[in-house]
Short mmCIF file of all heavy atoms in Angstrom, two decimals:
data_model
loop_
_atom_site.label_atom_id
_atom_site.label_comp_id
_atom_site.label_asym_id
_atom_site.label_seq_id
_atom_site.Cartn_x
_atom_site.Cartn_y
_atom_site.Cartn_z
N PRO A 1 -211.27 39.50 26.41
CA PRO A 1 -212.43 40.38 26.27
C PRO A 1 -213.54 40.02 27.27
O PRO A 1 -213.82 38.85 27.52
CB PRO A 1 -212.88 39.95 24.84
CG PRO A 1 -211.61 39.40 24.18
CD PRO A 1 -210.90 38.72 25.32
N TYR A 2 -214.11 41.03 27.84
CA TYR A 2 -215.21 40.99 28.80
C TYR A 2 -214.91 40.26 30.00
O TYR A 2 -215.75 39.71 30.77
CB TYR A 2 -216.45 40.36 28.10
CG TYR A 2 -216.75 40.87 26.70
CD1 TYR A 2 -216.56 40.19 25.58
CD2 TYR A 2 -217.18 42.18 26.61
CE1 TYR A 2 -216.83 40.58 24.24
CE2 TYR A 2 -217.38 42.72 25.32
CZ TYR A 2 -217.21 41.94 24.21
OH TYR A 2 -217.51 42.38 22.87
N GLN A 3 -213.61 40.21 30.45
CA GLN A 3 -213.25 39.44 31.58
C GLN A 3 -213.78 39.96 32.88
O GLN A 3 -213.81 39.23 33.86
CB GLN A 3 -211.67 39.42 31.68
CG GLN A 3 -210.96 40.67 32.04
CD GLN A 3 -209.53 40.48 32.17
OE1 GLN A 3 -209.07 39.47 32.01
NE2 GLN A 3 -208.83 41.58 32.50
N ASP A 4 -214.33 41.20 32.82
CA ASP A 4 -214.89 41.70 34.13
C ASP A 4 -216.39 41.37 34.28
O ASP A 4 -216.91 41.86 35.17
CB ASP A 4 -214.67 43.33 34.07
CG ASP A 4 -215.28 43.98 32.95
OD1 ASP A 4 -215.46 43.32 31.85
OD2 ASP A 4 -215.51 45.12 32.99
N GLN A 5 -216.99 40.78 33.21
CA GLN A 5 -218.40 40.58 33.24
C GLN A 5 -218.68 39.25 33.96
O GLN A 5 -217.97 38.33 33.83
CB GLN A 5 -218.91 40.58 31.85
CG GLN A 5 -218.78 41.91 31.17
CD GLN A 5 -219.53 41.91 29.85
OE1 GLN A 5 -219.93 40.90 29.24
NE2 GLN A 5 -219.58 43.16 29.24
N ALA A 6 -219.89 39.24 34.63
CA ALA A 6 -220.23 38.01 35.39
C ALA A 6 -220.73 36.90 34.42
O ALA A 6 -221.27 37.24 33.37
CB ALA A 6 -221.30 38.40 36.34
N LEU A 7 -220.55 35.67 34.84
CA LEU A 7 -220.93 34.52 34.04
C LEU A 7 -222.18 33.93 34.78
O LEU A 7 -221.96 32.95 35.63
CB LEU A 7 -219.86 33.61 33.93
CG LEU A 7 -218.57 34.09 33.20
CD1 LEU A 7 -217.47 32.88 33.12
CD2 LEU A 7 -218.84 34.48 31.82
N LEU A 8 -223.29 34.36 34.47
CA LEU A 8 -224.50 33.78 35.06
C LEU A 8 -225.10 32.59 34.39
O LEU A 8 -225.44 31.58 34.91
CB LEU A 8 -225.62 34.79 35.19
CG LEU A 8 -226.98 34.34 35.64
CD1 LEU A 8 -226.92 33.90 37.16
CD2 LEU A 8 -228.08 35.44 35.62
N GLY A 9 -225.08 32.72 33.04
CA GLY A 9 -225.71 31.59 32.17
C GLY A 9 -224.74 30.50 31.80
O GLY A 9 -223.51 30.54 32.11
N TRP A 10 -225.14 29.56 31.08
CA TRP A 10 -224.35 28.46 30.58
C TRP A 10 -224.76 28.00 29.24
O TRP A 10 -224.07 27.12 28.60
CB TRP A 10 -224.24 27.36 31.57
CG TRP A 10 -225.54 27.09 32.33
CD1 TRP A 10 -225.82 27.50 33.48
CD2 TRP A 10 -226.66 26.38 31.83
NE1 TRP A 10 -227.14 27.14 33.82
CE2 TRP A 10 -227.57 26.33 32.89
CE3 TRP A 10 -227.00 25.64 30.73
CZ2 TRP A 10 -228.84 25.70 32.73
CZ3 TRP A 10 -228.15 25.01 30.61
CH2 TRP A 10 -229.07 25.06 31.57
N CYS A 11 -225.80 28.47 28.51
CA CYS A 11 -226.15 28.21 27.29
C CYS A 11 -227.02 29.35 26.66
O CYS A 11 -227.46 30.15 27.43
CB CYS A 11 -226.91 26.84 27.19
SG CYS A 11 -225.77 25.37 26.97
N SER A 12 -227.19 29.32 25.36
CA SER A 12 -228.08 30.28 24.68
C SER A 12 -229.30 29.52 24.03
O SER A 12 -229.19 28.32 23.84
CB SER A 12 -227.29 30.97 23.63
OG SER A 12 -226.07 31.57 24.22
N GLY A 13 -230.22 30.33 23.64
CA GLY A 13 -231.37 29.81 22.91
C GLY A 13 -232.02 30.90 22.19
O GLY A 13 -231.66 32.06 22.28
N ALA A 14 -233.21 30.49 21.63
CA ALA A 14 -233.92 31.46 20.75
C ALA A 14 -235.46 31.08 20.83
O ALA A 14 -235.75 29.91 20.70
CB ALA A 14 -233.51 31.56 19.27
N LEU A 15 -236.31 32.05 20.84
CA LEU A 15 -237.71 31.89 20.86
C LEU A 15 -238.18 31.54 19.48
O LEU A 15 -237.94 32.30 18.50
CB LEU A 15 -238.43 33.16 21.39
CG LEU A 15 -239.93 33.07 21.60
CD1 LEU A 15 -240.21 32.16 22.87
CD2 LEU A 15 -240.53 34.44 21.78
N ILE A 16 -238.69 30.34 19.33
CA ILE A 16 -239.26 29.92 17.96
C ILE A 16 -240.79 29.84 17.89
O ILE A 16 -241.36 29.63 16.80
CB ILE A 16 -238.58 28.71 17.62
CG1 ILE A 16 -239.01 27.53 18.53
CG2 ILE A 16 -237.01 28.84 17.41
CD1 ILE A 16 -238.53 26.17 18.04
N GLY A 17 -241.41 29.98 18.97
CA GLY A 17 -242.86 30.04 19.02
C GLY A 17 -243.20 30.87 20.28
O GLY A 17 -242.28 31.16 21.11
N ASP A 18 -244.56 31.25 20.48
CA ASP A 18 -244.71 32.08 21.55
C ASP A 18 -244.62 31.51 22.99
O ASP A 18 -244.66 32.16 24.02
CB ASP A 18 -246.19 32.71 21.51
CG ASP A 18 -247.25 31.68 21.48
OD1 ASP A 18 -246.94 30.51 21.79
OD2 ASP A 18 -248.42 32.05 21.28
N GLN A 19 -244.27 30.15 22.97
CA GLN A 19 -244.05 29.50 24.33
C GLN A 19 -242.94 28.34 24.17
O GLN A 19 -242.81 27.50 25.00
CB GLN A 19 -245.38 28.76 24.75
CG GLN A 19 -245.34 28.57 26.24
CD GLN A 19 -246.68 28.11 26.85
OE1 GLN A 19 -247.73 28.06 26.14
NE2 GLN A 19 -246.72 27.56 28.11
N TYR A 20 -242.17 28.47 23.10
CA TYR A 20 -241.20 27.48 22.82
C TYR A 20 -239.84 28.04 22.50
O TYR A 20 -239.76 29.01 21.68
CB TYR A 20 -241.56 26.59 21.62
CG TYR A 20 -242.80 25.89 21.94
CD1 TYR A 20 -244.14 26.27 21.63
CD2 TYR A 20 -242.75 24.51 22.48
CE1 TYR A 20 -245.26 25.61 22.06
CE2 TYR A 20 -243.88 23.85 22.89
CZ TYR A 20 -245.09 24.36 22.57
OH TYR A 20 -246.28 23.63 23.01
N VAL A 21 -238.78 27.44 23.04
CA VAL A 21 -237.37 27.87 22.75
C VAL A 21 -236.56 26.76 22.25
O VAL A 21 -236.68 25.62 22.72
CB VAL A 21 -236.81 28.39 24.20
CG1 VAL A 21 -235.24 28.53 24.09
CG2 VAL A 21 -237.33 29.70 24.53
N ALA A 22 -235.69 27.12 21.30
CA ALA A 22 -234.81 26.10 20.71
C ALA A 22 -233.41 26.45 21.33
O ALA A 22 -233.00 27.57 21.49
CB ALA A 22 -234.68 26.27 19.21
N THR A 23 -232.75 25.33 21.73
CA THR A 23 -231.44 25.49 22.25
C THR A 23 -230.62 24.23 21.79
O THR A 23 -231.15 23.43 20.97
CB THR A 23 -231.45 25.61 23.84
OG1 THR A 23 -230.08 25.84 24.24
CG2 THR A 23 -231.94 24.27 24.46
N ALA A 24 -229.37 24.04 22.33
CA ALA A 24 -228.58 22.99 21.93
C ALA A 24 -228.94 21.74 22.79
O ALA A 24 -229.28 21.86 24.06
CB ALA A 24 -227.07 23.31 22.10
N GLY A 25 -228.93 20.55 22.30
CA GLY A 25 -229.19 19.33 23.07
C GLY A 25 -228.26 19.05 24.19
O GLY A 25 -228.64 18.51 25.28
N HIS A 26 -227.02 19.54 23.88
CA HIS A 26 -226.06 19.29 25.06
C HIS A 26 -226.22 20.24 26.19
O HIS A 26 -225.58 20.02 27.27
CB HIS A 26 -224.56 19.47 24.49
CG HIS A 26 -224.23 20.80 24.10
ND1 HIS A 26 -224.19 21.21 22.72
CD2 HIS A 26 -223.83 21.88 24.76
CE1 HIS A 26 -223.83 22.65 22.75
NE2 HIS A 26 -223.72 22.96 23.98
N CYS A 27 -227.20 21.19 26.06
CA CYS A 27 -227.39 22.02 27.25
C CYS A 27 -228.42 21.49 28.25
O CYS A 27 -228.65 22.10 29.28
CB CYS A 27 -227.96 23.32 26.64
SG CYS A 27 -226.68 24.24 25.58
N ILE A 28 -229.09 20.50 27.87
CA ILE A 28 -230.25 19.96 28.70
C ILE A 28 -230.03 18.50 29.11
O ILE A 28 -229.70 17.65 28.28
CB ILE A 28 -231.53 20.09 27.82
CG1 ILE A 28 -231.86 21.52 27.37
CG2 ILE A 28 -232.79 19.56 28.64
CD1 ILE A 28 -232.13 22.46 28.62
N ARG A 29 -230.18 18.19 30.38
CA ARG A 29 -229.91 16.88 30.82
C ARG A 29 -230.76 15.75 30.21
O ARG A 29 -230.32 14.69 29.90
CB ARG A 29 -230.03 16.86 32.40
CG ARG A 29 -229.84 15.41 32.92
CD ARG A 29 -230.06 15.35 34.54
NE ARG A 29 -229.02 16.14 35.18
CZ ARG A 29 -228.97 16.33 36.44
NH1 ARG A 29 -229.92 15.76 37.14
NH2 ARG A 29 -228.00 17.03 36.99
N GLU A 30 -232.03 16.18 29.92
CA GLU A 30 -233.00 15.20 29.40
C GLU A 30 -232.57 14.74 27.96
O GLU A 30 -232.94 13.63 27.61
CB GLU A 30 -234.40 15.81 29.25
CG GLU A 30 -235.18 15.87 30.58
CD GLU A 30 -234.83 17.15 31.44
OE1 GLU A 30 -233.83 17.86 31.07
OE2 GLU A 30 -235.49 17.42 32.32
N ILE A 31 -231.74 15.56 27.36
CA ILE A 31 -231.27 15.18 25.92
C ILE A 31 -229.78 14.63 26.07
O ILE A 31 -229.45 13.64 25.47
CB ILE A 31 -231.33 16.33 25.03
CG1 ILE A 31 -232.72 16.90 24.92
CG2 ILE A 31 -230.84 15.89 23.59
CD1 ILE A 31 -233.72 15.89 24.50
N ALA A 32 -229.02 15.28 26.84
CA ALA A 32 -227.42 14.99 26.88
C ALA A 32 -227.21 13.94 27.98
O ALA A 32 -226.15 13.29 27.85
CB ALA A 32 -226.82 16.30 27.22
N GLY A 33 -228.03 13.69 28.95
CA GLY A 33 -227.74 12.77 30.03
C GLY A 33 -226.94 13.38 31.08
O GLY A 33 -226.62 12.68 32.08
N SER A 34 -226.56 14.60 30.96
CA SER A 34 -225.79 15.31 31.96
C SER A 34 -226.15 16.80 31.89
O SER A 34 -226.78 17.24 30.98
CB SER A 34 -224.25 15.16 31.91
OG SER A 34 -223.85 15.64 30.70
N GLY A 35 -225.70 17.62 32.98
CA GLY A 35 -225.99 19.04 32.92
C GLY A 35 -227.32 19.31 33.73
O GLY A 35 -227.75 18.43 34.48
N SER A 36 -227.83 20.41 33.35
CA SER A 36 -228.90 20.91 34.31
C SER A 36 -230.26 20.32 33.62
O SER A 36 -230.44 20.45 32.36
CB SER A 36 -229.08 22.40 34.27
OG SER A 36 -229.99 22.91 35.01
N PRO A 37 -231.20 19.84 34.37
CA PRO A 37 -232.40 19.35 33.96
C PRO A 37 -233.36 20.53 33.75
O PRO A 37 -233.12 21.60 34.24
CB PRO A 37 -232.94 18.42 35.12
CG PRO A 37 -232.37 18.99 36.32
CD PRO A 37 -231.02 19.48 35.87
N CYS A 38 -234.48 20.18 33.03
CA CYS A 38 -235.46 21.27 32.72
C CYS A 38 -236.03 21.99 34.00
O CYS A 38 -236.02 23.17 33.99
CB CYS A 38 -236.55 20.57 31.87
SG CYS A 38 -238.06 21.57 31.60
N ARG A 39 -236.26 21.12 35.00
CA ARG A 39 -236.91 21.70 36.20
C ARG A 39 -235.99 22.64 36.95
O ARG A 39 -236.55 23.54 37.64
CB ARG A 39 -237.41 20.59 37.14
CG ARG A 39 -236.09 19.92 37.74
CD ARG A 39 -236.56 18.86 38.69
NE ARG A 39 -235.41 18.15 39.37
CZ ARG A 39 -234.85 17.10 38.79
NH1 ARG A 39 -235.37 16.56 37.72
NH2 ARG A 39 -233.93 16.51 39.49
N ASP A 40 -234.80 22.76 36.75
CA ASP A 40 -233.82 23.65 37.40
C ASP A 40 -233.39 24.70 36.48
O ASP A 40 -232.48 25.51 36.86
CB ASP A 40 -232.59 22.85 37.85
CG ASP A 40 -232.97 21.78 38.87
OD1 ASP A 40 -233.97 21.93 39.53
OD2 ASP A 40 -232.12 20.89 39.07
N THR A 41 -233.97 24.87 35.22
CA THR A 41 -233.46 25.82 34.27
C THR A 41 -234.46 26.96 34.12
O THR A 41 -235.73 26.75 34.12
CB THR A 41 -233.22 25.14 32.89
OG1 THR A 41 -232.34 24.08 33.11
CG2 THR A 41 -232.63 26.10 31.91
N VAL A 42 -233.96 28.15 33.99
CA VAL A 42 -234.66 29.37 33.56
C VAL A 42 -234.12 29.94 32.19
O VAL A 42 -233.00 29.76 31.97
CB VAL A 42 -234.78 30.41 34.63
CG1 VAL A 42 -235.46 29.93 35.91
CG2 VAL A 42 -233.34 30.88 35.10
N PHE A 43 -235.07 30.68 31.57
CA PHE A 43 -234.73 31.32 30.33
C PHE A 43 -234.95 32.67 30.46
O PHE A 43 -236.06 33.24 30.92
CB PHE A 43 -235.63 30.71 29.20
CG PHE A 43 -235.47 29.28 28.97
CD1 PHE A 43 -236.25 28.34 29.74
CD2 PHE A 43 -234.60 28.82 27.89
CE1 PHE A 43 -236.10 27.01 29.41
CE2 PHE A 43 -234.50 27.38 27.72
CZ PHE A 43 -235.19 26.54 28.55
N ILE A 44 -233.94 33.56 30.23
CA ILE A 44 -233.90 34.89 30.54
C ILE A 44 -233.82 35.71 29.26
O ILE A 44 -232.76 35.60 28.50
CB ILE A 44 -232.74 35.40 31.48
CG1 ILE A 44 -232.77 34.50 32.77
CG2 ILE A 44 -232.90 36.89 31.80
CD1 ILE A 44 -231.55 34.73 33.66
N PHE A 45 -234.81 36.53 28.90
CA PHE A 45 -234.80 37.38 27.72
C PHE A 45 -233.94 38.74 28.06
O PHE A 45 -234.16 39.16 29.31
CB PHE A 45 -236.19 37.71 27.21
CG PHE A 45 -236.87 36.48 26.60
CD1 PHE A 45 -237.63 35.62 27.36
CD2 PHE A 45 -236.72 36.19 25.16
CE1 PHE A 45 -238.28 34.63 26.84
CE2 PHE A 45 -237.30 35.17 24.72
CZ PHE A 45 -238.05 34.31 25.48
N GLY A 46 -233.26 39.25 27.24
CA GLY A 46 -232.48 40.54 27.45
C GLY A 46 -231.11 40.06 27.89
O GLY A 46 -230.32 39.71 27.12
N ALA A 47 -230.93 39.99 29.31
CA ALA A 47 -229.72 39.53 29.83
C ALA A 47 -228.60 40.34 29.23
O ALA A 47 -227.54 39.62 28.85
CB ALA A 47 -229.55 37.96 29.64
N THR A 48 -228.64 41.51 28.98
CA THR A 48 -227.58 42.35 28.48
C THR A 48 -226.53 42.73 29.55
O THR A 48 -226.64 42.42 30.73
CB THR A 48 -228.15 43.77 28.02
OG1 THR A 48 -228.67 44.46 29.08
CG2 THR A 48 -229.23 43.50 26.99
#
């Protein structure tokens, strides 16, 4: 399913305050010790 769609992202999150997003700890290097750090990460609303 959806094999023709591009894979830009690597994790999901949700806006829980007007400037705060909740996501999984394993998605962030500062928590998981590996993966992408905060400074290299963007959060995209929509992304349909």
